[in-house]
Each structure stands twice: as C-alpha cells, then as structure tokens.
Amino acid sequence: MIQMSLKSIMRELKELKDGIGNMSKRGDQSKLWRSRTRSHVAPDEAPLESQLSEQSPWANLPPELLLDIIQRVEESETAWPARAVVLFCAAVCRSWREITKEIVKTPEQCGRLTFPISLKQPGPRESSIQCYIRRDRTSSTYLLFYGLVPSEGESDKLLLAARKVRRATCTDFVISLVADDFSRASNTYVGKLRSNFLGTKFTVYDSQPPCDSMIQSTARSSRRFHSKRVSPRLPACNYTIGTVTYELNVLRTRGPRRMHCILHSIPVSAIQEGGTAPTPSALPQSLDEQLSPLHSSKGKEPIVDTISPSIRATPVFSPGSREPLALKNKAPRWHEQLQCWCLNFKGRVTVASVKNFQLVAAVEPSHNVSPEEQEKVILQFGKIGKDIFTMDYRYPLSAFQAFAISLSCFDTKPACE
C-alpha cells in the first residue's frame, strides 16, 4: 500500500467516485460495490468497531502517509478542472475530508478556489482572481465562471449563477451555487441583489450572517424553507451586507456611470496595515461538506413560501461596530484622439461599454491607508464580447460580493445615463 504510486492512488479514487452513482447498474457486482463505497459516506456518529473492520483500507491509511498524499495532490493540481481531484480526496471518508480541509488554504493565502466556502472568503492581496460572466438574455440568467475567457473543448468551472426577476417595485437578482435552481428555499441559495424602483440603489443580501457579527439578523416576520429542513439553529433569513448606489445624471453630462459601494460586512481597517477582512469558515446547512458547487438539484422537497416581496430588511449594527469599507469609481481620463473615456484594464476589457468600471477604496486621510493601497483596483468589470464580460476581484472582496456588485450593472438605469 505504501509503495503504491500517487497516480494509481488518484486513479483509484476517481473510479470509486464515479462508481457511487452507478451501483444499481452493476448487477452481479452489487455486493462488491456496497463493500467498497461504505467508507465514502461520512457517518454522523462514530462507527462501531465491527463497521471499522468492514471499511476499505483507504480510511485506515497511516496519518503520515495520508498527509503526504493529500499535500502532493494539493500542490500539483493548481487550476480547474484538474483541481477537482482535491475534492475527490475530501470525498473519500471523514478522515480524508478533515485532513484535506486542514491543508487547503483560503484564497487570500493561496489565490485558489477549492470548496464552496471559498466563494465567500476574501481574494488574494497581491493579485486578482480572474473570472468571466456569461449573460443569457432569453432566460435572464448570469453565470460566473472561473478563468480568463471562455474556453473551447473544456468544461469551464461554474462558480455562481444568478437569475433576474422583475417585480412591480424592484428587481431581484437571486444568486445560487447552481444554474438550474434559484429557489430561495434551496440549500444552494447563497444570497441576492435587490434594486429600488429607479434602479439607482441596490442592496446586497447574504444567506449567512457575517462571521464577525458586525451585522445582526434582519427583521423578518416570515420565513422561506423546505418543509423537511426546518432547523431552529439555522433560521432562513437574509443579512444586509452592502449597498451599491449610482449617482443621478440629471444634467445628462457625458461620462461613465458613477457608482458608490458600501460594504457593511467589511471594516475599513481591513485595508489598513496589519488589518484583516472577515473570513467565514463554513457555509450554512453543511454546504461546505457537499464539496462541489456543481451538484445537481434533483430530489427537491415541497417548499413553504411565506415571504412577501414587500418586506424590507435593513442593516442593524451592533454597538461599537467599526466603520464599513467604501468603494468608488476609479476616475477615467478623456482620450482626445478616441473621443471617449478610458481606463487601463490591462487587456482584460476590449469593448467600450457604459457598464465598464474599476473600483478602488474610498478613504479619508484619517483612515491611515497608504497611497499604494488607495490606487489598487479591488474590482474591475468590463465587456469583451456579446454577452461576455470579465470580472477580476481581489482582497478584501469575495467572489460572491464581487459578483453581486457586478450584477448591478445589468439593470436598467434611465436616470443615470
């Protein structure tokens, strides 16, 4: 077992992973598959000694060997889709999952996206995580993929998906981990973006409370939940974590849209020297243990829907809460030869559009933020083709926060043009 090569180990892992869904088709080998897959389901309680003896040898590897195997896999598989092998390691059994979660670092530390919780953790400090958004006008959906540009012949890594829902007084962008289930009662729901009537102000809602308790639960008189997933420890509610405001263009002057973002869940001290941004460690309803944001949405349960769209939620700050981080447009320059406003997107944006923007920190001298930090582009968004847009973000924003801010560009804003 110790002499088995790393390649053969990973090949066997993939075979075991693929075989779980095909057990019913094996016929004569059903007993063999049952014995091989029992160790791939993490029990809620400690297994009995008789059960341990029946588990496959994967769960009983020496800790030193297991640690070395997972460390090598983590270091070698740096990009998707090959990075799915890291998830396969965490899906073997409970001991493999715990060690994998200890080895895998946050995006801020390694610049990689691995588990679903990575989508709500801050990006790297010294570089950007590059993504792109694909818009589908017919279904009013927006898909966020990991990568530079759409690739051919490979399955791109889906990170988040959103659906635009128009209402009488507002517009909602419901954000999910999957592209085929946008129910706010589903365990794939991660948040939403809601506009006001004019489309000049947007509120970002998160499905989980901020990890530093800066914001308390928003007041709601009703809940939306699956009838079989009611848990007193996990109330089904939204938490206001930020707002995006577009300035009114009353005089119809030329120039790009002017936007201002306030992130209530991130203190301004996060971009100061020695400061840190809140970093959640797990998603609600054990989403982090499902290992992949691409799982299917089959087997839906009946939904009890008692939420009224008219119910509004506002941020509630705890006593002594810190000042939130504010972002503003990076000022463009007017190009006389091109006769347009220009920003340096470093090749990531190729099509002129009113939606293109770059956001930097909006700070005061009293905040003691270095000039270099003030010039860093925290989020940039721009058009590269018909219905294709790039989105690059960095610390202290997360992929979810950056995606929500970018979605605000897709709503109609007649008062801002």
Side-chain angles (χ1 to χ4, degrees):
M1 177 69 69
I2 298 180
Q3 296 177 352
M4 184 179 295
S5 65
L6 182 60
K7 280 189 175 182
S8 62
I9 291 177
M10 299 319 303
R11 191 185 307 113
E12 181 70 14
L13 281 178
K14 192 170 183 179
E15 291 176 358
L16 292 175
K17 181 73 175 178
D18 296 339
I20 294 176
N22 300 322
M23 290 170 57
S24 61
K25 301 179 181 179
R26 295 296 181 179
D28 297 337
Q29 298 181 359
S30 59
K31 293 183 179 180
L32 174 61
W33 277 112
R34 280 197 295 271
S35 64
R36 294 181 66 183
T37 57
R38 261 196 288 266
S39 62
H40 299 275
V41 179
D44 293 332
E45 299 178 355
L48 301 176
E49 293 184 3
S50 59
Q51 294 175 328
L52 288 174
S53 61
E54 295 177 358
Q55 288 183 345
S56 71
W58 297 110
N60 300 320
L61 282 178
E64 297 81 4
L65 176 60
L66 179 57
L67 181 65
D68 182 63
I69 291 174
I70 299 180
Q71 281 180 338
R72 293 190 184 190
V73 173
E74 161 66 16
E75 293 172 0
S76 62
E77 307 296 356
T78 59
W80 293 91
R83 191 149 183 79
V85 176
V86 181
L87 299 182
F88 294 157
C89 288
V92 172
C93 59
R94 175 165 293 188
S95 59
W96 281 61
R97 177 164 62 254
E98 294 304 321
I99 291 182
T100 304
K101 291 170 66 175
E102 291 178 5
I103 293 176
V104 173
K105 299 179 180 179
T106 64
E108 178 185 351
Q109 297 170 317
C110 67
R112 304 171 188 171
L113 299 174
T114 307
F115 298 111
I117 188 58
S118 303
L119 302 174
K120 290 195 174 182
Q121 294 175 336
R125 292 176 181 263
E126 302 303 326
S127 60
S128 297
I129 292 183
Q130 297 174 319
C131 313
Y132 70 91
I133 298 174
R134 186 187 296 274
R135 174 175 59 183
D136 188 340
R137 297 175 184 265
T138 58
S139 60
S140 297
T141 57
Y142 306 83
L143 305 181
L144 177 67
F145 294 94
Y146 180 76
L148 297 176
V149 293
S151 60
E152 297 181 2
E154 295 184 5
S155 67
D156 296 324
K157 178 61 178 176
L158 177 67
L159 300 179
L160 292 168
R163 171 172 289 174
K164 187 176 182 178
V165 181
R166 293 189 180 275
R167 305 186 186 279
T169 59
C170 64
T171 299
D172 282 353
F173 291 85
V174 182
I175 305 175
S176 172
L177 289 174
V178 296
D180 58 354
D181 186 2
F182 294 96
S183 169
R184 279 171 289 182
S186 171
N187 59 0
T188 60
Y189 170 72
V190 295
K192 70 176 181 179
L193 179 75
R194 170 168 289 185
S195 76
N196 62 357
F197 179 74
L198 294 177
T200 57
K201 185 176 181 179
F202 296 80
T203 305
V204 182
Y205 298 95
D206 198 335
S207 62
Q208 66 181 121
C211 56
D212 63 350
S213 300
M214 285 182 60
I215 305 172
Q216 299 175 0
S217 172
T218 55
R220 283 193 180 273
S221 60
S222 59
R223 295 289 181 262
R224 177 188 294 262
F225 51 84
H226 280 283
S227 59
K228 297 181 181 180
R229 291 180 183 168
V230 180
S231 172
R233 296 178 299 172
L234 293 171
C237 58
N238 288 315
Y239 299 84
T240 306
I241 63 168
T243 58
V244 183
T245 306
Y246 289 82
E247 293 183 15
L248 294 175
N249 190 6
V250 179
L251 301 179
R252 298 292 179 180
T253 58
R254 290 195 303 173
R257 293 172 177 169
R258 291 183 290 272
M259 57 193 298
H260 190 76
C261 304
I262 297 180
L263 300 167
H264 305 297
S265 59
I266 303 177
V268 69
S269 60
I271 61 174
Q272 297 173 348
E273 186 176 357
T276 58
T279 306
S281 58
L283 289 172
Q285 298 180 348
S286 299
L287 280 180
D288 188 49
E289 295 183 3
Q290 294 182 11
L291 304 177
S292 174
L294 296 178
H295 58 273
S296 63
S297 57
K298 297 179 181 179
K300 299 176 185 175
E301 298 171 355
I303 296 174
V304 179
D305 186 356
T306 58
I307 282 185
S308 170
S310 62
I311 296 178
R312 304 182 66 182
T314 55
V316 181
F317 291 90
S318 58
S321 62
R322 295 164 287 179
E323 185 177 355
L325 175 67
L327 303 178
K328 64 178 181 180
N329 286 86
K330 187 173 184 179
R333 63 181 180 87
W334 178 257
H335 199 291
E336 290 294 341
Q337 295 179 343
L338 299 177
Q339 289 294 297
C340 65
W341 296 96
C342 295
L343 282 170
N344 183 12
F345 288 95
K346 298 182 179 180
R348 290 287 289 154
V349 178
T350 58
V351 179
S353 173
V354 70
K355 295 180 176 63
N356 301 345
F357 69 81
Q358 288 181 330
L359 294 183
V360 296
V363 295
E364 301 294 338
S366 59
H367 292 148
N368 297 322
V369 178
S370 64
E372 295 79 10
E373 193 68 31
Q374 295 181 36
E375 290 298 318
K376 284 185 178 179
V377 176
I378 296 177
L379 170 62
Q380 74 173 20
F381 171 88
K383 191 173 184 179
I384 61 173
K386 184 179 180 181
D387 298 323
I388 302 293
F389 304 82
T390 59
M391 188 198 83
D392 302 340
Y393 75 96
R394 66 189 306 160
Y395 177 91
L397 287 185
S398 66
F400 165 70
Q401 294 164 341
F403 186 45
I405 295 173
S406 301
L407 286 173
S408 66
C409 290
F410 294 106
D411 195 29
T412 304
K413 305 172 184 62
C416 304
E417 304 301 332

